[in-house]
Amino acid sequence: MPHGFDKLLHHEPEAESPPAPPRRLSTQSRYHLHVRQQPIAARACGAGDRDRRPVDPPPIVQILLNDFDSNSQEDNDILQDPRFTVGCLLFPVSPQSPWSEPTESDTGDLDQDREKDREKDRDTDGVARTDDPFSTPLLSGKAFMSPFYVEADPDPNSAPPHPSSINDPRLSSPSNAYNHPSARLHQPATFFIFADLSIRSAGLYRLQFRLMNWGSVEDTGQSMPILAEAWSDPFRVYPAKDFPGMRDSSILAEGLKELGFVELKTRGHGKGKGKKRR
């Protein structure tokens, strides 16, 4: 009998091949930014570096991954990548950008009394005004932050779940075990903590956060892509006389400082500096 015919005559079905692994989104599309601690207020600071009035509470941004698996070494390596950075930009909540220089028609309409008032304000408190064509940049301090990785989230009760690419309503239900805070008691997390941001002019603002990885420049030689973005809620910057005072530190901020982020200045209940909140 020719070689191989016995298999044709006595055919045995082959074992079924294992199903293909579920398709995972591309690495770049997995990234998300979540503003874990929103800025609420700030006192307008002067133009000098010594007059720092940090945004309160300090914005804290967290990186989230689609379909994150805490048991996956690859996912944990992503969270611990030191090449991540988040940049912060300041935007006014108004139709006109505060750092744009006034036009000739605008300056021509200013009378001498208004000009004297602005000069008097600059001389007395050193705050850069939005209508001052020679003002310094409104946002000062550390606007780019490196990642701060922790093995367990210090405030699991407020920890957000990582997004899921599975469209199953049962998985997004509050009764699902993954969405319960106890399931995230020992969840690793990576934060970007903006503890040194100051704003030089009173007004209503929002912050935009952009996630980048400078390692992509080294690996590909191309320009650094923006991997994810997030916006803060609007918050108000007050003149010195109207600032309501600093707030007590959150559980998250206190926990991050205890875990080693020493740049955070925490404040206990009733010990915040400044005027008492109304």
Side-chain angles (χ1 to χ4, degrees):
M1 180 181 294
H3 179 69
F5 264 56
D6 57 330
K7 292 185 178 180
L8 293 176
L9 294 175
H10 307 285
H11 176 70
E12 295 181 1
E14 296 182 359
E16 293 184 2
S17 58
R23 180 177 175 271
R24 169 164 280 185
L25 300 176
S26 66
T27 302
Q28 181 170 335
S29 65
R30 295 187 66 197
Y31 300 135
H32 299 269
L33 284 182
H34 175 75
V35 183
R36 186 71 178 272
Q37 179 165 279
Q38 293 280 354
I40 296 177
R43 173 182 168 182
C45 67
D49 290 337
R50 292 184 178 181
D51 187 17
R52 290 289 182 85
R53 307 290 178 177
V55 174
D56 181 58
I60 299 177
V61 181
Q62 181 178 353
I63 184 172
L64 301 176
L65 298 177
N66 266 2
D67 304 321
F68 175 76
D69 182 3
S70 59
N71 296 318
S72 166
Q73 186 60 47
E74 177 186 354
D75 285 2
N76 282 281
D77 288 344
I78 292 176
L79 288 186
Q80 298 181 64
D81 190 344
R83 302 176 299 177
F84 280 124
T85 185
V86 169
C88 177
L89 299 172
L90 179 71
F91 290 87
V93 183
S94 65
Q96 183 177 0
S97 178
W99 52 79
S100 60
E101 295 187 3
T103 62
E104 292 183 4
S105 59
D106 293 333
T107 55
D109 294 337
L110 296 175
D111 56 24
Q112 293 183 353
D113 292 338
R114 187 177 175 188
E115 183 67 25
K116 290 179 180 179
D117 289 341
R118 287 207 310 272
E119 291 179 358
K120 181 180 179 181
D121 289 337
R122 285 197 297 268
D123 293 339
T124 55
D125 61 12
V127 174
R129 293 301 189 275
T130 58
D131 55 357
D132 183 359
F134 304 103
S135 64
T136 53
L138 294 180
L139 184 66
S140 62
K142 295 182 179 179
F144 287 86
M145 293 305 301
S146 299
F148 184 73
Y149 172 82
V150 296
E151 294 182 351
D153 194 300
D155 185 16
N157 289 326
S158 69
H162 287 268
S164 173
S165 62
I166 303 174
N167 295 322
D168 189 338
R170 293 173 298 177
L171 296 179
S172 59
S173 170
S175 61
N176 183 268
Y178 178 77
N179 286 297
H180 196 275
S182 61
R184 301 192 291 274
L185 282 176
H186 302 289
Q187 185 92 292
T190 298
F191 299 97
F192 300 85
I193 307 165
F194 293 84
D196 184 21
L197 286 181
S198 299
I199 301 172
R200 302 186 189 278
S201 183
L204 192 64
Y205 300 94
R206 294 182 74 185
L207 295 171
Q208 185 192 48
F209 303 98
R210 295 180 175 181
L211 175 67
M212 295 163 282
N213 190 319
W214 53 264
S216 61
V217 179
E218 294 182 338
D219 297 339
T220 65
Q222 300 177 355
S223 59
M224 187 183 305
I226 297 174
L227 304 177
E229 294 181 350
W231 288 82
S232 76
D233 294 337
F235 64 97
R236 184 164 296 281
V237 178
Y238 295 87
K241 62 179 181 177
D242 298 327
F243 182 58
M246 307 293 283
R247 288 164 171 76
D248 296 332
S249 298
S250 64
I251 297 175
L252 177 63
E254 291 179 349
L256 289 173
K257 183 169 184 177
E258 291 178 359
L259 290 172
F261 196 88
V262 295
E263 295 180 37
L264 272 173
K265 296 181 180 179
T266 55
R267 295 172 176 82
H269 181 70
K271 297 180 181 179
K273 295 181 180 179
K275 295 181 180 179
K276 193 174 182 180
R277 294 199 301 274
R278 299 166 185 171

